[in-house]
Amino acid sequence: MNLMVFGAPGAGKGTQAKFLVEKYGIPQISTGDMLRAAIAEKTDMGMEAKQYMDKGGLVPDSTIIGIIKDRLKKEDCEKGFILDGFPRTLKQAEALEELMNQSGKKLDKVLSFDVPDELIIQRIAGRRVCPKCGASYHTEFNCSQVENICDCCNDALIIRKDDNADTVKNRLENYHNQTAPLIDFYKKMGVFTQIDGSQKLMVRKSLIWLQKRCLVRYKKSL
Ligand code: ADP
Ligand code: ZN
């Protein structure tokens, strides 16, 4: 199954993609995570990309398409994948179509998370991320179990360099001007699904947690 999570920065694409990884056992392909890994490794590509990312701009299409082309060739993508943060321009979407056609694959679904800009700004202001696994938390809406520590790897959480008020404005502008037109592209392909992305994850998470706790108690009492 070949999926894509789509939406504005901070709409929750990465968080939802991680749920889908667990559910379907296929890899999450996040261009943002791959670029941040290249920056951490100080590769030439990473250093070039950093200049765009720090300002909230888009990394040039040719760089991004090159990264995706290499990544989709890997063996773990054979059973399917979840694209996260790619494509972000029409040119990238067209390149993806070409790549998929060449390898006889097709995109099954685009899951688009619809979140109003005001909420995006709030979400990004409180976002904390794990530098190791890329998991994303929020100081109010999606707290880690121990403050500022990743639930999965125990690493200290950080604030991403591009998660500041100025940069967010640019990123939202880029989303509306360059990425949102892809909605029509994928609607025409018949794979587009819109989801309300504005619900609080915390509420859902605590419900699941409560259900689990009740179940454990119930089993113990038997
Ligand atoms: P968010 O969804 O919060 O913006 P990402 O991790 O997806 O975060 O992206 C971070 C940054 O990486 C973007 O602002 C952009 O500079 C760069 N980037 C990621 N994916 C792409 C892409 N497909 N095309 C161009 N730039 C990208
Ligand atoms: Zn982690």
Side-chain angles (χ1 to χ4, degrees):
M1 182 149 42
N2 304 318
L3 303 174
M4 181 193 300
V5 286
F6 183 89
K13 301 185 294 287
T15 307
Q16 300 298 334
K18 287 197 163 42
F19 290 142
L20 295 168
V21 168
E22 267 181 46
K23 187 162 180 197
Y24 295 111
I26 47 178
Q28 170 193 14
I29 299 181
S30 156
T31 38
D33 285 350
M34 286 191 272
L35 293 168
R36 281 184 288 277
I39 294 174
E41 284 169 28
K42 296 196 162 60
T43 66
D44 288 347
M45 184 273 282
M47 291 300 101
E48 201 213 320
K50 187 176 186 314
Q51 294 172 21
Y52 298 95
M53 291 168 77
D54 283 352
K55 289 187 222 135
L58 290 182
V59 174
D61 287 335
S62 55
T63 310
I64 297 288
I65 293 165
I67 297 177
I68 284 287
K69 203 171 172 179
D70 291 343
R71 182 64 185 87
L72 293 185
K73 274 187 206 149
K74 298 217 167 127
E75 211 185 309
D76 65 340
C77 292
E78 270 168 23
K79 275 197 287 173
F81 46 79
I82 303 154
L83 292 171
D84 164 14
F86 174 90
R88 266 171 147 102
T89 64
L90 207 53
K91 203 156 174 209
Q92 292 179 18
E94 284 162 0
L96 175 65
E97 272 311 289
E98 206 182 309
L99 278 176
M100 300 284 272
N101 287 338
Q102 279 167 4
S103 52
K105 290 180 181 166
K106 71 174 184 57
L107 195 60
D108 294 295
K109 272 251 169 296
V110 174
L111 306 171
S112 172
F113 299 93
D114 195 22
V115 180
D117 282 8
E118 309 83 67
L119 187 55
I120 295 273
I121 292 168
Q122 270 185 44
R123 281 192 182 169
I124 288 188
R127 177 152 73 176
R128 301 290 180 271
V129 295
C130 171
K132 196 167 171 191
C133 71
S136 194
Y137 300 87
H138 190 281
T139 48
E140 277 174 67
F141 310 143
N142 178 24
C143 312
S144 51
Q145 278 163 12
V146 179
E147 202 180 334
N148 271 323
I149 301 289
C150 177
D151 293 348
C152 315
C153 22
N154 276 329
D155 272 38
L157 302 178
I158 56 159
I159 300 177
R160 258 170 52 179
K161 198 161 179 225
D162 57 344
D163 278 352
N164 61 68
D166 275 346
T167 317
V168 167
K169 261 196 232 151
N170 287 343
R171 285 157 67 199
L172 275 172
E173 230 174 79
N174 287 333
Y175 170 74
H176 290 297
N177 295 335
Q178 306 209 52
T179 311
L182 298 187
I183 295 174
D184 263 355
F185 182 91
Y186 289 114
K187 272 187 181 165
K188 278 186 193 140
M189 274 173 64
V191 292
F192 189 82
T193 312
Q194 183 97 32
I195 296 162
D196 177 9
S198 62
Q199 297 121 314
K200 284 188 181 155
L201 190 66
M202 264 297 278
V203 177
R204 274 187 286 139
K205 264 197 170 172
S206 36
L207 276 178
I208 294 169
W209 181 77
L210 261 177
Q211 276 168 359
K212 275 189 190 155
R213 236 172 69 133
C214 293
L215 201 69
V216 171
R217 279 206 192 139
Y218 172 72
K219 278 186 182 158
K220 271 188 188 162
S221 70
L222 288 178

